[in-house]
Amino acid sequence: MGITETVSGNQLNFSIDSNAEKPSYLVIQINNLEKLVVLADPLESDAPSSSGTDVYNITSPPYCADNTWTSDVTGIIQQAIDDASAAGGGVVYVPAGVYKVKDILYIKSNVTLYLQGGAVIKSNPDRTLYEYTTSREGKIFIDPMIRIDHAPNAKILGRGVLDASGIEIMDKDRASSTYLGYRRNVIVGNYSNHVTIEGILIKDSTTWTINGIQGGDGFRVRHVKIINHKNADQYKIMNDGIDICGTRNAIAEKNFVMTVDDALCAKSTITDFSMYNVRFKNNIVFSSCAGLKAGLQSLSPMYDVWFEDNDVVQARRGIVAEATSGTQQMNDIHFVNTRVESFVFTSMGKSIPVEIDAQTAPISNVYIDGALFEKLAFNPIHIYGSSNTNAVKNVTFNDLNMCGDVITNVLEARIIEGNYAADVSVTSMSNKEL
């Protein structure tokens, strides 16, 4: 990132440009100390007023919400959202303070939930207050913090924090029948067009952090910072960062994700709704699973998916395209200018730089262009299918760089082509010029 540091005694000094093309989100490791995360955004230029026409300030009358985390204010915030919606839209303004919530907040059409810097909406950590549902796989979940359903033009903006209290709520008793249960999303959305999430910090989700917008169009996630539990050997939980699910014409841009499970994913999660024109651009991620991933769900056709100019600080699998749930084709998947800094070994397995796995659906036309792996993974690149129907076809690596070595052929790339994989090629600009 072109950052020059100086050391003076016990001080580390450096400057960052918060207006640069790549976001100024840094993971700093000093000796064996805990990692320091620096998340610097440009100053807000369009923050709404805290009062006025179409502004519903939750600490002003008639709402007067407690901002000391003493009383539950879920109902008060929801009332402000409902009032804004009834008026045709508006800004629900959450000033600095800490607000205790438990039940779902439903964001509605044309309503902006704005969190001022210093505002924290935090889930009550008392597990006994929550009812749970059990998935088909036997996993136990509680309702998400926020739902955006049938709510076009809904927005969540600002520099405040959504804190799920996920690890506090989760059952951590290994002898319990609900061990690793009571897990909570932060934002889930369905059938809503032109939804925007921008600027906020999200903490401590214990399942997919942002899951949306299924059946929607025009979803945007920008300058969002996600800090979740990150120790896979302590608790392996499915706390994905940003999952763009079953949607079209979506972009996740200039975000930061630190989590155990997959960091950035495109998932085709609903039937009869083709997913296309999905972009992940200029993001920085830290994961113990996949850094960048298309799949694993393929319930409808998914195509025209682009991961561009992303930095993977840590992952077990750097780049992944996999179909292990659903039978519809994944096609035209691009990974462009990816930097993978380091790999991690976890209880889930050893590290892999690239994995393409067509178990339940075919995968075709995968382009990995300009990938830089700064360290070697334990395993080589894996590409394989499961049948003539569910095969991998046409995978192209261009300008693949392994620890400073530009790879010019399949043998040098250490690619394992398993059964039902065809037309795998490795090229470089130097090859093209000859």
Side-chain angles (χ1 to χ4, degrees), residues 18 56 90 121 384 404:
S18 61
Y56 301 79
I121 298 178
Y384 44 90

Side-chain angles (χ1 to χ4, degrees), residues 38-87:
V38 177
L39 305 171
D41 283 323
L43 295 174
E44 282 186 283
S45 59
D46 54 357
S49 172
S50 61
S51 62
T53 304
D54 298 329
V55 175
Y56 301 79
N57 188 317
I58 68 168
T59 60
S60 298
Y63 309 110
C64 303
D66 171 68
N67 66 353
T68 66
W69 211 63
T70 302
S71 303
D72 188 289
V73 298
T74 312
I76 293 174
I77 299 175
Q78 189 63 58
Q79 187 61 60
I81 293 169
D82 293 348
D83 290 347
S85 176

Side-chain angles (χ1 to χ4, degrees), residues 187-190 192 195 197 208-222 224 226 240-255 257 262-270 273-281 283 291-308 310 330 333:
I187 299 171
V188 175
N190 297 282
S192 304
V195 170
I197 305 170
W208 299 0
T209 307
I210 295 177
N211 173 3
I213 299 290
Q214 292 188 124
D217 193 309
F219 183 36
R220 296 192 306 165
V221 184
R222 299 184 71 250
V224 170
I226 295 174
D240 288 8
I242 299 173
D243 288 346
I244 294 184
C245 295
T247 193
R248 300 168 177 168
N249 302 311
I251 185 166
E253 182 179 25
K254 296 187 175 182
N255 303 291
V257 175
D262 304 328
L264 301 176
C265 296
K267 302 172 181 279
S268 180
T269 49
I270 57 175
F273 192 87
S274 295
M275 180 173 173
Y276 53 80
N277 189 24
V278 174
R279 300 289 190 271
F280 295 86
K281 188 171 183 179
N283 301 285
L292 313 176
K293 178 176 170 183
L296 53 88
Q297 292 80 359
S298 56
L299 302 186
S300 292
M302 178 167 64
Y303 57 92
D304 191 22
V305 176
W306 292 73
F307 295 81
E308 303 169 89
N310 296 293
M330 294 171 55
I333 313 296

Side-chain angles (χ1 to χ4, degrees), residues 345-398:
F345 294 3
T346 72
S347 57
M348 295 173 286
K350 296 181 170 64
S351 56
I352 303 173
V354 178
E355 186 167 28
I356 303 174
D357 178 10
Q359 289 297 306
T360 62
I363 299 176
S364 60
N365 299 315
V366 179
Y367 304 95
I368 300 173
D369 191 358
L372 168 62
F373 297 92
E374 295 188 355
K375 294 184 179 177
L376 286 177
F378 181 89
N379 287 306
I381 294 169
H382 286 187
I383 302 172
Y384 44 90
S386 62
S387 67
N388 288 326
T389 300
N390 300 324
V392 178
K393 296 180 181 179
N394 191 23
V395 178
T396 301
F397 294 86
N398 181 49

Side-chain angles (χ1 to χ4, degrees), residues 126-146:
D126 185 352
R127 186 189 318 133
T128 64
L129 299 175
Y130 294 91
E131 297 181 359
Y132 66 83
T133 58
T134 303
S135 72
R136 288 175 299 176
E137 298 82 13
K139 297 180 174 63
I140 293 173
F141 300 98
I142 60 176
D143 288 332
M145 287 186 74
I146 291 175

